[in-house]
Amino acid sequence: MTKSKDSRTGYVSLVGKTNVGKSTLLNQMVEQKISITSRKPQTTRHRLLGIKTKDYAQAIFIDTPGFHQGQKRALNRYMNKVAIGAMSGVDVLLYVIEALKFDQEDERLLTQIPANLEHVILVINKVDRILDKDRLLPFIEKLASKFNFSDIVPISALKDQNIESLESSIFSKLPMGEHSYPEDQVADTTERFLTSEVIREKCITRLGDEIPYRISVMIDSFNLKNKVTHIDATLFVEKKSQKGIVIGQGGKHLKLIGTAARLELEEILKTKVMLRLWVKVKSGWTDNEAMMSTMGYDLG
Ligand SMILES: Nc1nc2c(ncn2[C@@H]2O[C@H](COP(=O)(O)OP(=O)(O)OP(=O)(O)O)[C@@H](O)[C@H]2O)c(=O)[nH]1
Ligand SMILES: [Mg+2]
């Protein structure tokens, strides 16, 4: 149990450009897959929490959609709004970038960090990709001159490198306070939500480059009966042609997506899974706030 006089609790948000590895880092820190990841940009769409309790301290991590410019649909506006919103009112902000890559979009995002935040840690991810480590120091020095970071920590979220020093840095900055969650709780989302995300992840990894940005997954039913979880889910796309691609010839793509999702869900849910997928067209949903709202996007 936590001794209240020693306990620390705080919100720690992960903010950065799309694809820098925020969700991979969150999963690594809470030692569980609670946020989906992919090599394609714009994977995370919702704000979600990951909780880590260690000794007397509890960090409540907030994963956010990656910030991205140039796309003007309601879905993109929504994702950027969630990303910017997670910069305020937190105790520690992890500003995540990719090693040796710092472009105008990173720069623009840096200027949006509220001036009143006490702790902003620069997390330089993907250092495993750097062959010539001597290039890292000048890169760090350049960034240190741009902003008054509380700390700068190079890591590899994927290869689990230097994560412990990042954690120590974060935990040392948490304010005193009672814990908000039980110490064994790792996420605040439901199995139903995670299920829809796992299905979406399999769509992202198994379909071409454009379709993933036009897909949304809704769980129609989710029931545990005789040790089998029966799940019906609908994949919404924007056009009939996209529906054809998602289904594939003779149902080939949908079958691959369904099998990959089922195998992962059986591990997560620790039951057998019966998964049925449907594909429907919801014309123009990515640019229609009313439709997005009925599809589970919290537009506030
Ligand atoms: N080599 C290497 N790849 C990484 C590392 N961390 C993440 N990746 C890869 O980078 C890609 C993007 O990772 P995500 O965790 O989905 O990135 P994200 O910042 O959450 O992306 P959005 O949700 O789109 O904002 C995936 O293919 C990851 O496997 C790392 O430390 N090293
Ligand atoms: Mg993500």
Side-chain angles (χ1 to χ4, degrees), residues 121 150-151 153 164-174:
I121 300 176
S150 313
D151 209 347
V153 191
E164 274 191 24
S165 38
L166 175 59
E167 268 177 22
S168 320
S169 175
I170 295 167
F171 276 82
S172 70
K173 294 174 179 58
L174 298 177

Side-chain angles (χ1 to χ4, degrees), residues 172-189:
S172 70
K173 294 174 179 58
L174 298 177
M176 305 302 282
E178 293 288 335
H179 295 179
S180 304
Y181 294 90
E183 57 190 82
D184 56 353
Q185 186 168 345
V186 171
D188 77 327
T189 41

Side-chain angles (χ1 to χ4, degrees), residues 195 199 217-223 225 229-235 254-255 257-259 261-262 265 273-279:
T195 297
I199 298 169
V217 179
M218 264 183 93
I219 305 297
D220 304 314
S221 63
F222 187 102
N223 296 305
K225 261 187 262 158
T229 311
H230 296 258
I231 303 164
D232 281 353
T234 303
L235 316 184
L254 198 60
K255 207 167 176 183
I257 292 165
T259 305
R262 179 176 56 77
L265 289 169
V273 168
M274 269 283 294
L275 176 63
R276 292 198 300 176
L277 300 178
W278 316 90
V279 186

Side-chain angles (χ1 to χ4, degrees), residues 43 134 184 191 196 214 247-248 262 273 277 281 291 295:
T43 300
D134 289 346
D184 56 353
E191 285 183 334
S196 71
R214 304 284 180 259
I247 294 174
R262 179 176 56 77
V273 168
L277 300 178
V281 177
M291 280 190 206
M295 292 160 86

Side-chain angles (χ1 to χ4, degrees), residues 8 21-22 33 52 164 281:
R8 291 172 178 270
K22 299 177 295 297
K33 178 169 168 178
K52 178 154 188 135
E164 274 191 24
V281 177

Side-chain angles (χ1 to χ4, degrees), residues 215 233-240 242-248 254 257 277-282:
I215 282 194
T234 303
L235 316 184
F236 287 105
V237 289
E238 288 193 311
K239 291 184 191 153
K240 224 175 148 190
Q242 294 165 350
K243 179 175 171 175
I245 296 172
V246 174
I247 294 174
L254 198 60
I257 292 165
L277 300 178
W278 316 90
V279 186
K280 285 188 189 149
V281 177
K282 220 175 187 83

